[in-house]
Amino acid sequence: AGALPSLEEGGARPSPELAQQTTLQSAHPYKPDVEQVRRGKERRSLAQATIHAEEGSWPGATQLQLRFDAQCCTHEGDWLTLTFFKEGQPVEGRTLRFGGPWSNWPKQPITVPADSFRAEFAFSPLTATTAWGYGVAVTASKRDKANLLAMPVLAQLRLSLAYLGTKCASLLVAAEPVVEEEKENRHWLKSPLFARGLPLQLPPTHSLMH
């Protein structure tokens, strides 16, 4: 079958301190190898599924997030299979398989605790199709939150309260900097209405009381 775009060269990537993203996709639309069919090769060998495989690895990443393109659509019987790994070991229960119309694909991002993956797209080289194929943005990240979620609940609560107390104490010493939006709307922020509230003498039926 015709070659499909692959992930950027380089194999394993360095440990990400910030999120790193790459795009995994088929040709659009993906098509059978018409030239092989025209040459008259044995139909039996051509009827076997063509498998296009790609891999991505980010040593040190704590999670991979997948966001699928809304145009994802494959011919019936053509499948994209994603297998995830953490430190070289398969992530149990997280092998994903998608195919068919967009209604069969995830609408929301999927997050998997992994640092690498293998994608295999299996499709018939004889099927004439105008299906768009697939496209998925894979974002690898290294976040302390993944380790935080593994802590006991009481330990998480203690850490959160300590952070909240420190934040409040710092605001008592030095307030947060004024942002541009606050500067632009300074005349409203300094209005007596916002500074002191509504005058007590206004009756309940006044328009400002509603």
Side-chain angles (χ1 to χ4, degrees):
L4 301 179
S6 61
L7 295 175
E8 58 185 90
E9 300 295 334
R13 296 166 175 79
S15 300
E17 295 300 329
L18 299 175
Q20 297 184 357
Q21 179 174 297
T22 190
T23 300
L24 176 69
Q25 60 184 336
S26 68
H28 307 305
Y30 68 95
K31 298 179 180 180
D33 192 336
V34 180
E35 290 300 323
Q36 282 192 343
V37 177
R38 186 175 296 132
R39 293 192 201 102
K41 290 193 173 183
E42 293 183 6
R43 188 176 184 83
R44 183 182 60 203
S45 62
L46 290 174
Q48 297 176 353
T50 296
I51 298 179
H52 177 76
E54 299 184 83
E55 297 179 346
S57 178
W58 297 265
T62 57
Q63 63 183 30
L64 301 179
Q65 184 184 78
L66 286 73
R67 186 183 298 272
F68 291 84
D69 194 295
Q71 300 180 82
C72 285
C73 176
T74 66
H75 188 270
E76 182 178 359
D78 296 345
W79 298 95
L80 173 66
T81 303
L82 298 167
T83 306
F84 298 91
F85 303 87
K86 180 66 174 178
E87 297 178 351
Q89 300 298 320
V91 179
E92 186 176 354
R94 295 314 300 263
T95 297
L96 306 177
R97 191 184 190 202
F98 304 109
W102 168 238
S103 58
N104 295 344
W105 298 74
K107 310 301 183 295
Q108 301 297 325
I110 296 177
T111 301
V112 181
D115 57 16
S116 59
F117 73 91
R118 177 178 174 82
E120 294 185 349
F121 183 45
F123 61 97
S124 170
L126 292 179
T127 302
T129 179
T130 57
W132 188 80
Y134 67 90
V136 53
V138 182
T139 303
S141 59
K142 181 178 181 180
R143 298 183 178 178
D144 292 336
K145 184 176 181 181
N147 297 327
L148 174 63
L149 294 177
M151 297 173 57
V153 175
L154 291 179
Q156 293 184 43
L157 178 60
R158 182 177 60 183
L159 188 61
S160 298
L161 290 175
Y163 171 80
L164 180 60
T166 303
K167 180 69 173 178
C168 293
S170 64
L171 290 177
L172 291 175
V173 177
E176 293 185 349
V178 178
V179 299
E180 291 299 324
E181 288 79 3
E182 292 176 316
K183 294 179 181 179
E184 294 175 359
N185 297 282
R186 183 174 299 172
H187 61 288
W188 288 110
L189 297 175
K190 291 186 176 181
S191 168
L193 176 62
F194 294 105
R196 302 183 183 88
L198 294 172
L200 296 178
Q201 64 270 24
L202 289 179
T205 57
H206 195 281
S207 60
L208 289 176
M209 300 296 289
H210 297 278

